[in-house]
Amino acid sequence: WETCWFKVELSIPPAWAGQEVHFVWESDGEGMVWRDAQPVQGLTKEGEKTSYILTSSLKEMEPHSLTLYVELACNGLFGAGKGSMIAPPDPDRRFTLSKAELVIFSRDVYELLVDLEILLDMAQLLGEENQRSFQALYTANQMVNICDITDPSTFPAARDLAAAIFNQRNGGSQHTIHAVGHCHIDSAWLWPYEETIRKCARSWVTVVRLMECNPELTFACSQLRLISVFWQAQQFEWVRSWYPGLYAQIQDFVAKGQFIPVGGTWVEMDGNLPSGESMVRQFLQGQHFFQEQFGRICSEFWLPDTFGYSAQLPQLMRGCGIRRFLTQKLSWNLVNTFPHHTFFWEGIDGSRVLTHFPPGDSYEMHGRVEEMLKTVKNNKDKGRVNHSALLFGFGDGGGGPTQKMLDRMKRMSDTDGLPRVQISTPDRLFSVLEKESSQLCTWVGELFLELHNGTYTTQAQIKKGNRECERILHDVEVLSTLALARGGAFQYPASQLQRLWRLLLLNQFHDVLPGSCIQLVVEDALQYYAEIRRAGAQLQEEAVQSLCGDLLQPKAGSVESTLVLNTLPWERTEVISKTGPAGTEALALVTVPSMGYAIVREPLLPPQLVAVRKQEDGSIAMENGVIAVCLDVMGRLTSLRLVHSERESVPDGCYANQFALFDDVPLYWDAWDVMDYHLETRKPVTTLLKPLEITLAGGLRGSASFSLRIGESSTLTQEIILDATCPYLRFLTQVEWKEAHKFLKVEFPVQVRGTNATYEIQFGHLQRPTHWNTSWDWARFEVWAHKWLDLSEHGFGVALLNDCKYGASAHRNILSLSL
């Protein structure tokens, strides 16, 4: 990720007067041309950007000698991997500068080649039954006959032949394609966060150069806030000090309506795993940024490349001033083809947003004839709407549009036999679709991507960090709000909280939170979580001191007491662990009001203490008057009963809390995918390292622990805990994971019959089938959930809760959590 600098001294020969002169630079590393201390052109061979235009027609008064600097990065468009496009960085990879030249660019030859490309594509792709294909073919043949490559004066006549074809117009019913420049830049993926700043500068300066020459060009940018996404004050000032001229130019083109901020969120976040509050903050921070920087909020939610879309998103969008949504990722479905490209999407509360998937099924088109024809042919909503989007430009690693893409589409703006192509804007597209929307269908519920199911589980530490930090920030805000409401000198830590929220939101980018990023990014993300934990603990302490400081002061003669806080909105009675005067751990049963606190002097006595008994066969029984459980020597649940109803939850002959190991060898990408055939390789984990033993013998808490060996070299230790008055059993699980291409789950077969299981999502829940009747059902063999999933029938049910996991499934009567 280092960069090196080249000083380039140029002298243009006077004999080149009147010529278009380019500085050509070819390297497999990404580069940036600097002139007069300002970035002026991005250079990316993979993105077809290998030249900087010095002059379009050399004039006598123009400088013939000048000095440029080229900053060359030791990474390509897709990082620094070895062998394939998606690979971790190779420390031994070398990057080569293969060409640095001063050249005359023959614009007339270039234009001829673009003409011929379009005509030959029409001839090949329109088909033998279409007379336009033959007209294009014969025109191209005539052009070749007319052209004498040694005599440029023959070129205009050849170009006139092409123009005659391109100027033959369509009828009024032809489909209209709204082409919008686009450059998807992953905030972090095969490169670290810091490299993204340079990628943005390379891509956006190139777009600015194109806009100067093509005033019709529009560019939709959903990642503008990347330049201020890091440690807000310090990094924003750092980037502005590097690229202040570029940023000023971008703001000018925003004002002109060419550089169009879209998106509405802080980063293009994962669409499944962030909590409801995190998603609200994504929109809040994003919309605030757009309002502050550009004087308006976004009306389109732009999320082309995340791994599925929660059914709660329509309500959140509408609540944040957004009524339109664009993506294309469901075109990646492995099993079922999604039935629409333009439709209304309805969330769990009935909120609806107008949704468009570009029918070309891509966000990085190149303006070719083939892509235009695919856009029309592939459109699932023909007859309902007659307009669609085409996003053009190199993406993922940046790059963006090129001049050739624009020149191709200019020739297809209104050419008989091809759809109309107009350079447009997201607002123009959606405005037309809104007028045509009376016949559109409605899709209710989640937009589930039938691929990349492994991203719910990959990189367990990132998943744990996200959940913990969401909880920490919630608790800090509750306690700070209570402290502020109480009065006094307490200052609400708004700026500190915004900094911590933005760190968390950054880590929710759709290749970081899912775990589909290189190790360097994982290390950065874990550092950000550590910072949120550290600063969050300090803010929490300050709020508690302000809220309850007087209660924390020891008073002479007073009975020793404990301050207990509850940041959840219901009264809780639970067993807590506290440190005694001698430093020993003590347990106490306490009741604390909703979003409040209590001083505990005399702990409560439960109606019934926890009883723990070891049976002759080594199994252990625990009971607290609410539930009764029986565990075998391997820690598996053989019985789980509600005491008052005598209702057994574990079917006869089955084991709950059963760990199972699966082979995990996907068809495509390790970090992203798990395939349905992994279910055929299930192996129960049965190698006992330490049999079940009682660790707490009862009273306010009973517990037992055991250890297993998993696979070749991994170990698992679990403590199973039952507290007084508690209606659930807790499992504290620690895994030392050293396996490759394996998948660990824990299963809970339950004696409940239901055709649907219920899963928590953002601010609500969702039901999914427990059967595989249709291909739509079995494609959801591995799904995501937040803190719980539940299988219920009338009057009875069993729920499986977690504090840091997202991958889950419920097939028939087995609840499964992916570890």
Side-chain angles (χ1 to χ4, degrees):
W1 313 112
E2 299 294 322
T3 64
C4 53
W5 289 79
F6 292 81
K7 183 179 181 182
V8 183
E9 295 181 336
L10 302 175
S11 293
I12 305 174
W16 289 8
Q19 303 283 5
E20 182 172 338
V21 182
H22 290 197
F23 166 57
V24 171
W25 178 280
E26 288 190 13
S27 168
D28 50 358
E30 289 192 271
M32 173 102 87
V33 181
W34 291 71
R35 182 174 181 176
D36 300 328
Q38 293 296 329
V40 292
Q41 178 67 51
L43 297 169
T44 308
K45 188 174 181 180
E46 297 156 292
E48 296 181 6
K49 297 174 184 68
T50 57
S51 67
Y52 168 54
I53 302 175
L54 297 170
T55 175
S56 57
S57 178
L58 183 63
K59 297 178 178 61
E60 188 177 341
M61 63 273 300
E62 285 187 90
H64 285 47
S65 297
L66 65 152
T67 299
L68 305 175
Y69 289 88
V70 178
E71 181 189 17
L72 184 62
C74 292
N75 57 268
L77 203 60
F78 289 92
K82 181 179 181 179
S84 67
M85 186 182 81
I86 298 177
D90 175 13
D92 297 322
R93 180 170 172 183
R94 297 291 181 267
F95 290 84
T96 304
L97 171 61
S98 55
K99 185 182 289 187
E101 296 178 348
L102 199 58
V103 303
I104 293 173
F105 184 76
S106 300
R107 179 66 58 180
D108 50 358
V109 173
Y110 163 83
E111 298 288 0
L112 262 178
L113 289 172
V114 177
D115 286 344
L116 282 166
E117 178 195 303
I118 300 297
L119 290 169
L120 292 173
D121 280 352
M122 289 175 67
Q124 282 185 303
L125 298 168
L126 288 177
E128 290 189 8
E129 71 280 1
N130 192 322
Q131 71 168 3
R132 286 291 281 171
S133 69
F134 287 94
Q135 291 171 354
L137 178 63
Y138 278 81
T139 299
N141 188 60
Q142 285 178 280
M143 290 170 65
V144 172
N145 292 338
I146 287 175
C147 272
D148 179 352
I149 59 170
T150 64
D151 181 6
S153 67
T154 62
F155 297 170
R159 290 215 61 210
D160 288 344
L161 290 172
I165 284 281
F166 298 143
N167 290 331
Q168 290 175 333
R169 303 305 182 202
N170 274 299
S173 65
Q174 184 60 273
H175 188 85
T176 299
I177 291 174
H178 294 249
V180 182
H182 191 245
C183 176
H184 182 68
I185 303 176
D186 286 320
S187 299
W189 178 32
L190 303 175
W191 49 86
Y193 284 125
E194 286 80 3
E195 177 59 25
T196 307
I197 298 174
R198 290 196 288 261
K199 283 181 171 288
C200 289
R202 295 180 199 118
S203 300
W204 298 343
V205 75
T206 302
V207 170
V208 167
R209 294 288 84 77
L210 284 172
M211 286 179 174
E212 290 170 347
C213 301
N214 302 271
E216 77 281 4
L217 171 61
T218 59
F219 179 74
C221 182
S222 60
Q223 298 278 6
L224 259 176
R225 58 214 159 277
L226 279 176
I227 57 174
S228 61
V229 85
F230 304 96
W231 301 75
Q232 180 66 12
Q234 178 186 331
Q235 289 283 13
F236 185 59
E237 288 305 314
W238 178 73
V239 174
R240 286 213 303 195
S241 70
W242 272 41
Y243 309 116
L246 170 60
Y247 192 65
Q249 291 174 62
I250 287 172
Q251 288 184 309
D252 288 343
F253 282 107
V254 169
K256 292 176 183 176
Q258 287 180 258
F259 209 107
I260 304 164
V262 294
T265 51
W266 186 244
V267 296
E268 289 187 4
M269 78 278 194
D270 181 84
N272 298 323
L273 308 187
S275 69
E277 188 60 36
S278 289
M279 283 190 168
V280 168
R281 301 303 174 109
Q282 288 283 359
F283 284 107
L284 177 69
Q285 295 291 337
Q287 293 285 52
H288 177 73
F289 179 87
F290 287 119
Q291 182 69 53
E292 185 181 71
Q293 291 291 316
F294 307 113
R296 66 177 187 85
I297 64 172
C298 294
S299 57
E300 300 90 17
F301 181 34
W302 197 274
L303 195 59
D305 189 33
T306 194
F307 313 138
Y309 304 88
S310 167
Q312 183 57 274
L313 276 168
Q315 182 180 7
L316 297 182
M317 281 185 247
R318 293 303 296 257
C320 297
I322 292 174
R323 63 184 191 279
R324 302 156 165 181
F325 176 46
L326 184 141
T327 186
Q328 60 81 47
K329 198 66 179 184
L330 261 65
S331 66
W332 286 49
N333 272 8
L334 199 60
V335 181
N336 298 285
T337 301
F338 194 78
H340 302 294
H341 281 105
T342 306
F343 59 99
F344 284 105
W345 180 23
E346 186 174 303
I348 58 175
D349 74 321
S351 296
R352 297 202 310 168
V353 290
L354 179 59
T355 301
H356 183 67
F357 298 172
D361 293 341
S362 173
Y363 51 72
E364 45 182 334
M365 296 294 206
H366 294 168
R368 297 183 180 276
V369 171
E370 179 182 12
E371 297 163 348
M372 307 303 164
L373 296 176
K374 179 182 178 181
T375 294
V376 176
K377 181 179 179 181
N378 207 34
N379 185 11
K380 301 286 192 302
D381 298 283
K382 298 182 186 76
R384 296 190 179 100
V385 291
N386 205 24
H387 294 256
S388 61
L390 181 137
L391 310 182
F392 65 95
F394 288 94
D396 288 337
T402 67
Q403 184 64 52
K404 183 175 279 188
M405 296 176 190
L406 286 166
D407 291 337
R408 287 171 180 146
M409 290 186 290
K410 285 174 186 175
R411 289 158 171 80
M412 293 185 274
S413 61
D414 191 3
T415 295
D416 186 25
L418 299 176
R420 283 193 186 85
V421 182
Q422 61 183 44
I423 304 297
S424 187
T425 67
D427 180 66
R428 209 176 300 154
L429 166 70
F430 276 105
S431 296
V432 174
L433 292 178
E434 284 166 350
K435 292 175 183 175
E436 296 183 346
S437 65
S438 62
Q439 300 297 312
L440 290 180
C441 299
T442 298
W443 181 270
V444 178
E446 68 182 327
L447 296 173
F448 185 84
L449 178 65
E450 296 171 358
L451 193 66
H452 297 349
N453 317 60
T455 58
Y456 317 145
T457 306
T458 296
Q459 293 292 354
Q461 289 299 322
I462 284 184
K463 306 298 194 286
K464 184 178 176 69
N466 180 72
R467 185 76 64 80
E468 284 185 358
C469 290
E470 287 177 335
R471 178 185 55 77
I472 288 167
L473 293 180
H474 166 271
D475 288 355
V476 170
E477 290 188 335
V478 168
L479 295 169
S480 297
T481 303
L482 292 174
L484 186 68
R486 193 169 185 264
F490 181 78
Q491 295 289 313
Y492 190 84
S495 61
Q496 298 100 307
L497 279 166
Q498 174 164 282
R499 181 179 75 87
L500 297 180
W501 266 112
R502 287 181 172 181
L503 278 182
L504 180 60
L505 301 181
L506 175 63
N507 273 356
Q508 290 174 347
F509 180 74
H510 66 251
D511 277 312
V512 179
L513 179 53
S516 50
C517 53
I518 59 174
Q519 184 64 23
L520 188 60
V521 177
V522 173
E523 291 165 5
D524 283 346
L526 295 182
Q527 285 183 0
Y528 293 163
Y529 290 136
E531 168 61 14
I532 295 169
R533 290 186 182 102
R534 184 201 64 77
Q538 183 179 335
L539 292 175
Q540 186 168 298
E541 178 66 23
E542 291 170 2
V544 170
Q545 287 291 341
S546 177
L547 181 64
C548 312
D550 52 336
L551 300 175
L552 295 170
Q553 301 302 319
K555 295 181 176 61
S558 66
V559 179
E560 183 193 333
S561 59
T562 303
L563 174 68
V564 185
L565 298 110
N566 174 19
T567 56
L568 295 179
W570 58 84
E571 182 182 87
R572 293 160 67 189
T573 299
E574 293 179 17
V575 174
I576 64 163
S577 177
K578 59 176 185 168
T579 305
T584 56
E585 187 178 310
L587 300 174
L589 181 65
V590 301
T591 295
V592 186
S594 159
M595 287 202 172
Y597 55 87
I599 298 295
V600 178
R601 294 185 174 89
E602 294 295 330
L604 302 173
L605 288 175
Q608 182 174 324
L609 295 171
V610 179
V612 182
R613 300 183 308 279
K614 187 164 186 176
Q615 316 286 355
E616 290 183 7
D617 60 0
S619 64
I620 291 174
M622 293 192 283
E623 184 176 334
N624 66 356
V626 182
I627 59 174
V629 303
C630 189
L631 305 161
D632 71 5
V633 291
M634 296 180 63
R636 300 177 299 190
L637 271 172
T638 56
S639 175
L640 172 61
R641 292 183 296 109
L642 270 179
V643 171
H644 69 84
S645 72
E646 285 298 311
R647 173 73 185 253
E648 176 60 61
S649 302
V650 181
D652 289 342
C654 294
Y655 301 104
N657 194 38
Q658 171 69 66
F659 294 93
L661 196 63
F662 300 81
D663 291 343
D664 179 26
V665 185
L667 290 174
Y668 304 112
W669 304 287
D670 274 356
W672 286 261
D673 291 338
V674 58
M675 298 299 166
D676 59 336
Y677 53 74
H678 85 281
L679 297 170
E680 300 172 16
T681 65
R682 177 183 180 274
K683 296 179 183 66
V685 177
T686 56
T687 306
L688 201 56
L689 293 179
K690 186 171 81 69
L692 188 71
E693 293 290 344
I694 295 173
T695 48
L696 283 175
L700 289 178
R701 175 173 292 168
S703 68
S705 66
F706 65 96
S707 296
L708 299 172
R709 196 183 84 200
I710 305 168
E712 295 297 317
S713 51
S714 301
T715 57
L716 179 148
T717 301
Q718 188 179 74
E719 185 179 18
I720 302 172
I721 300 169
L722 182 63
D723 284 346
T725 74
C726 187
Y728 55 82
L729 193 61
R730 281 194 294 145
F731 304 85
L732 298 185
T733 312
Q734 197 161 18
V735 179
E736 187 72 25
W737 186 249
K738 298 178 180 177
E739 304 306 301
H741 292 115
K742 298 292 180 183
F743 195 176
L744 179 67
K745 303 184 184 185
V746 62
E747 300 168 345
F748 289 82
V750 294
Q751 199 158 288
V752 178
R753 180 163 177 79
T755 55
N756 288 290
T758 307
Y759 302 79
E760 191 203 23
I761 65 170
Q762 298 84 355
F763 297 132
H765 60 266
L766 189 71
Q767 290 197 327
R768 300 183 179 111
T770 57
H771 54 76
W772 293 346
N773 281 0
T774 71
S775 59
W776 293 89
D777 299 332
W778 69 256
R780 287 184 277 184
F781 60 88
E782 177 80 4
V783 297
W784 62 273
H786 282 196
K787 294 188 286 291
W788 54 264
L789 62 149
D790 162 88
L791 187 61
S792 291
E793 59 189 45
H794 180 68
F796 186 80
V798 180
L800 179 57
L801 288 73
N802 76 85
D803 66 355
C804 63
K805 297 296 170 187
Y806 295 93
S809 65
H811 182 49
R812 298 192 181 277
N813 69 324
I814 298 175
L815 302 178
S816 179
L817 193 65
S818 299
L819 305 181

